[in-house]
Structures are given as structure tokens and as C-alpha cells.
Amino acid sequence: MRALRLILTGWRFHVKSLTLSAFFLLTSAIQPILFATMAYFMFRAGSTEQSLLYVALGSGLMGIWSSTLFGSGGAISWQRWQGTLEVSIAAPAPFVLVLIPITLATATIGLYSLTATLLWGKLFFGVPFDLEHPLLFLLSIPATIVGLGMLGLVLAASFVLYRNANAMSNLLEFPVWLVTGLLVPLSLFPGWVEPISWVLAPTWGVRAIRDAALGGGDPVGAILMSLGLAVVYLGIGTVLIGYFERLARERATLSLT
Amino acid sequence: MAVIEASELRRTYRTTTGTIRRRRVEVEAVRGISFEVAEGELFGLLGPNGAGKTTTIKMLITLLVPTSGSARVLGHDVVREAGEVRRRVGYVFGGERGVYERLSALDNLRYFAELYGVPGREQKTRIAELLDLVGLTGREKERVEGYSRGMRQRLHIARGLLHDPPVLFLDEPTIGLDPVGARELRAMIATLAESGKTILLTTHYMFEADSLCDRIAVIAKGKIVAEGTPQQLKGGVAEGWVVEIEVYGIEDVVLDRLRAVPGVRAVAVEERDQAQLVVVQTDSGQELTHALLSRMDGAAVGRVSSREPTLEDAYVALVGES
Amino acid sequence: MTHVRVFFIGGYIAYRALFNWMHPSYYIPTMLGAPLFQILFFAYIGRYTGLKDDAFFVVGNAVQLSAMAGVYGMAMTIGGERWTQTLSPLLATPANRLALFLGRSLPLIANGMVTSVFAFGVGWWLLDFELAAESIPPLAAIVLVSAVACTAFGLLVGAIGLRARDVFFLANLAVFSLLLMCGVNIPLDAFPGWMEAISRALPLTHGIEAAREVAAGAGFADVDHLFWTELGIGVFYGAFAYALFRFFEADGRKRATLETM
């Protein structure tokens, strides 16, 4: 109960903090809009028939992934830089409960990307916004955010151990867009790609959101997969964070000085 | 029972230097420190930058694991019972960092109240009390990025007190504050000490330690070189005498010659505008002045004076000897 | 705010700029890994949509990637200087501005060439892309001139960065705009006329067009007009950037804005 309350308070706090950063907001809206525009043109000029809403939702999820990747991947370095890492670790709350709200918030901020690409698509490309299953669509969004947020927890912990979080973030933006089927169906890839996609939250997030919006598929199953993966990520993330904390206390890497 | 007990604390850092041929370097930041702080005491760790003060504090508040030795806070081991220790101590460090800039003081305090496990129904009154205590009432809804250094520092104090900890660790809290802000903060620390909190304060300001602390440990190069009340520390050099010689350029050989004069305890050099001031602490009295001057041939000597020692001299002597 | 900005911008400097880029833990993921997946990403969208064949995307992205480093590098050089507060001391020197900043562009262009070679290699290795040996010298010349033109464009971004609040954001916007507009992944005829007109005025567009023809077997003589147009566009942006730079420098001295954050 306490933990839940802490996560909720922390999440609100960090969403507010990120929202007040003009820089973060501009980046999380403009980059996805540019990529969405590219995707609209490519799909429109191509010969394959595909609904533009498919493209808009896929581009929006690309934005959610970018925001999680850069936000969560750099979360610990950012806290260290701000001087809040030490204060947070010195608090009695388990550090993983401090970090979860942060990574969830970075995924949540990705909703600005989704909203931006949908609005942009509607205004300039006439993308219709008709939902097959409005209720499932509403459920699929928080499920996707939770899945990506928990994946962010794993990223936060593993990137800080690699020590060059920015390089890892740079590396992982395109491949995850690619192998989670955000714009291109997985059937185009060699067979070994599919198992990789199963363990990545965006795969299920985009399926849940898209199937709920466009119909077909199994949105409920995808929502459950997203939430199930979130639990697995939480387990892995907790172990990694514990390891990081121990290591940091031994090696004195909590502060900048 | 002592509230804080440190026993033979040691901490080494491993760093690597060089980009092409990387070498491992071990730096001993703290080299066997032991002390005890009693309940309700305001204990000062006084030392120059890099003496090991911050490292010591970080070991006591569980942010660093000691390389060897042990420490207990309120009877809880800082390594094995980190959670217990964290629940009972408050930590405040000097400087502008450590708060979320884009949000208000109120947001920051609510957030950290949750991290420190302050029960929901107590949060509101507790935060209001603290804002009042640190004098931020009325400004609490403004974003921290618009705060002055002094206001940020007071916000830090409020954050450190959220869970009403019996033990407070203040790491150079007045650093970078203007004189008025620093004085206000010292008054606040004195108030907290009067309210019965056990406080460990680090500082490199002599007068700060002198005016606030019940007891002081002088720390230099990772070791405690003296410990006692401010009066006792002053007493250590009270019988001596200080000779100050103004010179225009002086070489180390000459300083060594001065140190060799019988009756000389310590020699230190302070940079002045265009000259240096050689401060010599002696055992007996003025008769050494002549002996000192006679060993300074080659140096251009200006004004020479002598006086009684101060706490600052005691400190300089202690740190200089180590 | 300053702190947050330093963090994000500090992060951003490292994000795509060339700071610490010589360290393998940074260089390999950022300068080789990310480009690899960028090419695959667009080529696969191409395959799925049936828009164009692999060669279209390999050439487009390989040329764009070599040019991107120039835009980022140049903009970040000036923005970074301002950030580390070294811009004023630098401007206080009597050094020739043009030489000063062009000198800095050389390693960026060299780095861009390396990325480009790698990108073509990826296309040959993982995608359906072939290149005849005799096409390599003209292709190298085209990649080089595109990189030079984009570096000049980067200088313009940097010059605007002398006055704008956020050169890092600007540089990002510039790079993504080039990616969108210059025919890297979208054939220009898919654009409405006004967009195509803008594309024709940007660097990179003609370079990519020339590179595609050469890769498809054309000789240098067949594309020399594109080559010279690309160079001309580069010279135009360079000159414009230089004039703007001098203007802002003089004006900045008057209004003391060079060190503002």
C-alpha cells in the first residue's frame, strides 16, 4: 500500500517535472512528427495498401519508445547529475521504488508523441480517427505505458552498468522500432527475429493499441502480454538495481565529485 | 550509549588514470578514523578540503561502504542495517544541487516526504511546520529554479528534517552562502541542536566550528589529528607565541631552516597581495624572533610582529603537522 | 533551469555530437551501430510498402549519414563552445573565423566518409545492393561534396545558434528535416510541388540524386551538373553562414549575448 502510494506520488511528480521541460517536450513532439511525416509519404507513395491510422499509431509508438529509451536510459545519470541520486538513495524507501516512478513517467511523456502524431496526421494527411473498440483502446494505452515503463527500469539499470548510457540509447532507437513491428510486419524478417520481438514490450503495446483501433487480432491478449512482461521486467530490474546500488556504494559512484 | 560510533573507519578509492596506458591508482581518503558522538551533542569535523570529511559522512549515512572498520548509528551497523540507519538520520549537503529545479519547494517536499515514509495524514502539517522553520512560507509554490542559494539551502534543511530524524548530518551546509545567509543558517543549526537533535557537522570554517560545536575533531589527510572542545584545542597552543614575518619571495629551503630552529612548532606561509606572510608558532616567546630572522638571509623581509595564538593557529598547526 | 538544461544539453552533446566519439564504447554504437539500423529500418519500410528497391535506401542513407555528422558537428562546435564559455575567448583571438571553423570541419568530414563506407558495406552485406568497382571513385567524390555542403549548412545552423536559445534543438531539427526533405527515403515526386521546390534548395538533395545514378551505373559525366549544383549550394550556405556569423558576432559584442544561456 505504501509502495503503491509512493509510486503514484513519484509518477505525478516526475511527469510534472518532465512536462515543464520545454526542451524535452519539443523533442518528444517534433521528432515523432517528422518521422510520422516520412512514414505517411512512404506509405502513400508505396504500392501496398495500408490504413494511415496504422502508420499514425506506429509512429506514435516510435515516439513512446524514444522517450522511454532516452529518458529511462539516462535516468540514473540524470539524477546523479542533479545531485538527487544520493539524496534518493539515502532515503529509507527501496531505490527501485524511487526509480519505477521515473521510468514510468518517461514512458508516459511518450503520450505527447502519440497525441502529436495523431493530430498531425488528422490535420495534414486526413488520417481518420475511428476506433473499432474504444474501450479496449483506452485500456491498451496504460497497459503499453506500464510495459514500456518497466522495460525502462531494466534499461536504466543496465545502461548505468555499461556506463555509456547515451551510446546505448543512440544504438537502440532504430532496431527496436524495426523488430517490434511498429511500421513493418514481423513476417518480413528472418525467423530468428520473432522470438526477440516477443520479449520486447513495444511489440505487444503496438498490437494492443492497433488491434483495438483497427479491429482484428487479439487486443486483450496483447494487453495481458504487455502487463505480464511488465512483471518480468520488474523482477529483472529489481535485481539489477540492487546490484547497481551495492556496486555504487562500494565504488563510490553515486555523486559526481 | 553513543549515538554515533565510528571505529577505525577506512576508505580507499580506486581510480584509473591515463587514456592509453591505464593505470590503477588507489587513493586513501580516510585512514582509520574513530570517534563517538553523544546524544544531543553538536560534533564538528573540521578540516581542509580533501581531508576526508565528506567521505566519513557518506560512510555514516550508508552511501559508501567502508573499506575496513565499522560504524554504528543509534546502535545500527551502517553496512548491515542500512535501512534502519536511513530511517533515523537526516542528510543535508551544501551547494545548489540535490533538488528538482523545475518544481516548487512544496512539490519537492511532498515527494521526499513519500520517499522518507512520512505517513500521509502527517505530511501536510509537517511540511507546513518545516516551511515555517526554514522561512520559506509564502514562497513554497514557486519553482526552485528561481530561488537564491540561501533559499535552496534552507529547502535542503527542510528536506533533511521531513521524517523528524533524531540524528542530523550536515556536510558543509554554509558553503557558497553569502555572509547573511550563512549566519541565518548557523542560527538555525543552533536552534536544532537546542531542540535535542544529535548533529554531526563538517566545515572548513574555523569560526563556524568554534561558534556552533560542543566538540570538534580536526581531520587532515584522512586522519583525526586532534579532538576536544574548542577551548581545549585553543589551549593546546595557548602557552606558545606566534611570530609573523612579512617577506617578498621565500624559498622552501629557508622554511625548512626555520622549522629546524629549536622551539619552533610549526611554520606556515600565507599569500598576501604582493608578499607572503610567514607564520611561525613557537613554544616560548619573543626571543626567538632574532634567531628566526638570522636564518632568513637572502629573503627580503618586511614587517615583523608577534601575537598570542588563536584557534585558527591551533588549526593551522594541527593541519600543518599532519 | 540552468542545471536541467546543462543536463539535457550535456546529454544531447553526447547524444549525437562527436564528443568522446573516439572512444570505442561510444563510437561503435553511435557511429556504426545506429547507422546500420537506420538503413535497415528504412529499407524494410521500402520493402513492405513496395516503394523502392533496397539500393534506393542504401544510397540515400549512406550519403545522408556522412553528411549528418557535418551538420551536427558544426552546430555543436559553436553551441558547445558557447556552452563551455569558451566562445568569447575564441572570438577575442584575431584568428580568421573562416579558417577557424572550417578547420574544425575536416575531422567531421573524414568521420562522415568512414560512416559512409561502412553504410555502403552494410547495404552490400545485408541488403540487395551491388556496386561496380568503376563507380567507386565518382561515388566517393559525390559523398565528399555532399558532406562539404552539409557542413556548410551546419555552419549556418551554428551561426543561428549564436543568437538562438537552443542550438542543440536546432541542429536536431535541421538533421531530421534534411532526412525528411532531401529524398533520402522518399522520392521527390511523392512530395507536393512546394515541398519539392524547398528540397531543391537544400544541400544533400542533388548529391543523393547523383549518387543514385552513379550507383546504378552512370558515369561522372552523366551527373556532373548535379555534382556542381550540390557544390554550389554548399558554397552558398557557407557564404551565407559566414556573413551571418560575422553579423551576429559584431552584434553580440554590442548586446553582450554571446555568453547568454
Side-chain angles (χ1 to χ4, degrees), chain B residues 116-155:
Chain B
Y116 277 92
V118 180
R121 55 189 179 283
E122 291 173 23
Q123 281 181 12
K124 222 175 168 173
T125 49
R126 182 77 194 139
I127 289 171
E129 277 169 25
L130 286 172
L131 284 169
D132 219 31
L133 175 78
V134 300
L136 285 175
T137 309
R139 309 283 307 265
E140 74 269 24
K141 290 191 174 146
E142 293 171 29
R143 289 200 203 180
V144 175
E145 61 194 14
Y147 280 18
S148 67
R149 280 202 139 192
M151 289 168 73
R152 284 162 195 249
Q153 197 58 56
R154 285 181 279 154
L155 175 58

Side-chain angles (χ1 to χ4, degrees), chain B residues 8-299:
Chain B
E8 280 301 309
L9 279 180
R10 271 173 197 280
R11 174 73 212 195
T12 52
Y13 294 111
R14 272 204 199 94
T15 50
T16 47
T17 57
T19 37
I20 299 167
R21 199 166 294 172
R22 292 177 81 79
R23 277 181 305 126
R24 278 180 171 274
V25 181
E26 283 215 350
V27 183
E28 280 199 292
V30 171
R31 307 189 289 171
I33 279 186
S34 306
F35 62 87
E36 289 191 351
V37 183
E39 191 178 344
E41 202 174 18
L42 204 167
F43 185 81
L45 272 180
L46 176 64
N49 291 330
K53 304 187 296 288
T54 299
T55 303
T56 306
I57 276 209
K58 284 186 181 168
M59 287 192 278
L60 293 173
I61 59 171
T62 77
L63 287 181
L64 273 179
V65 179
T67 310
S68 71
S70 66
R72 295 155 82 79
V73 176
L74 290 164
H76 298 285
D77 186 278
V78 297
V79 177
R80 283 189 311 267
E81 301 168 276
E84 298 295 318
V85 174
R86 287 174 188 179
R87 254 189 283 283
R88 291 169 175 81
V89 306
Y91 168 46
V92 176
F93 56 89
E96 297 186 71
R97 294 156 73 245
V99 283
Y100 292 87
E101 300 251 328
R102 278 189 301 254
L103 299 176
S104 68
L106 194 61
D107 285 330
N108 269 282
L109 290 177
R110 278 190 189 144
Y111 173 70
F112 280 108
E114 211 57 60
L115 256 56
Y116 277 92
V118 180
R121 55 189 179 283
E122 291 173 23
Q123 281 181 12
K124 222 175 168 173
T125 49
R126 182 77 194 139
I127 289 171
E129 277 169 25
L130 286 172
L131 284 169
D132 219 31
L133 175 78
V134 300
L136 285 175
T137 309
R139 309 283 307 265
E140 74 269 24
K141 290 191 174 146
E142 293 171 29
R143 289 200 203 180
V144 175
E145 61 194 14
Y147 280 18
S148 67
R149 280 202 139 192
M151 289 168 73
R152 284 162 195 249
Q153 197 58 56
R154 285 181 279 154
L155 175 58
H156 268 305
I157 302 251
R159 196 213 68 238
L161 291 170
L162 276 167
H163 53 313
D164 197 16
V167 188
L168 264 182
F169 291 87
L170 308 176
D171 191 9
E172 305 199 0
T174 57
I175 200 162
L177 293 185
D178 62 61
V180 179
R183 197 163 62 196
E184 283 172 6
L185 199 66
R186 280 195 289 275
M188 200 182 297
I189 294 170
T191 313
L192 289 170
E194 276 163 31
S195 73
K197 298 214 181 285
T198 306
I199 300 176
L200 190 147
L201 169 86
T202 73
T203 177
H204 58 252
Y205 300 123
M206 186 74 36
F207 63 95
E208 188 164 287
D210 193 9
S211 67
L212 283 174
C213 299
D214 301 317
R215 253 175 350 113
I216 298 173
V218 178
I219 171 170
K221 292 179 186 149
K223 283 190 154 165
I224 290 181
V225 291
E227 195 182 331
T229 63
Q231 281 67 33
Q232 285 168 338
L233 290 180
K234 276 184 244 181
V237 285
E239 290 100 49
W241 201 256
V242 177
V243 182
E244 292 180 333
I245 308 166
E246 202 176 42
V247 292
Y248 301 93
I250 188 157
E251 289 171 47
D252 286 347
V253 240
V254 181
L255 292 178
D256 288 337
R257 258 187 270 153
L258 294 182
R259 287 194 184 98
V261 174
V264 168
R265 286 185 191 165
V267 178
V269 181
E270 290 172 26
E271 286 295 328
R272 289 293 146 92
D273 285 342
Q274 283 160 22
Q276 293 88 39
L277 191 68
V278 180
V279 184
V280 185
Q281 303 198 17
T282 66
D283 283 330
S284 39
Q286 282 150 306
E287 66 268 25
L288 272 184
T289 307
H290 188 73
L292 291 170
L293 287 175
S294 69
R295 282 174 169 76
M296 294 189 66
D297 47 311

Side-chain angles (χ1 to χ4, degrees), chain C residues 22 30 45 60 64-65 73 92 105-107 125 144 158-160 163 170 182 184 186 188-189 191 209 216 229-231:
Chain C
M22 283 311 287
T30 305
I45 296 181
Q64 184 268 342
L65 283 164
S105 68
L106 285 180
W125 175 43
L144 183 66
I160 298 171
R163 181 57 56 80
L170 219 59
C182 295
V184 181
I186 306 160
L188 291 189
D189 54 23
F191 287 143
E209 204 175 323
T229 310
E230 179 74 21
L231 186 64

Side-chain angles (χ1 to χ4, degrees), chain C residues 59 120 124 129-140 211-219:
Chain C
V59 176
F120 280 114
W124 169 78
F129 174 71
E130 299 284 335
L131 193 61
E134 64 268 21
S135 302
I136 291 176
L139 191 59
R212 283 203 179 109
E213 288 187 27
V214 167

Side-chain angles (χ1 to χ4, degrees), chain A residues 134-206:
Chain A
L135 190 67
L136 280 178
F137 184 78
L138 282 182
L139 284 176
S140 67
I141 287 178
T144 304
I145 298 295
V146 169
L148 267 89
M150 291 298 116
L151 178 55
L153 187 69
V154 177
L155 297 179
S158 42
F159 284 14
V160 79
L161 292 170
Y162 177 73
R163 273 175 165 265
N164 208 336
N166 271 308
M168 291 313 283
S169 298
N170 287 344
L171 177 68
L172 290 179
E173 195 172 29
F174 280 107
V176 172
W177 285 350
L178 193 63
V179 304
T180 54
L182 299 189
L183 288 177
V184 177
L186 295 172
S187 54
L188 255 67
F189 300 115
W192 53 266
V193 172
E194 207 166 0
I196 299 178
S197 74
W198 291 336
V199 299
L200 293 170
T203 306
W204 305 102
V206 75

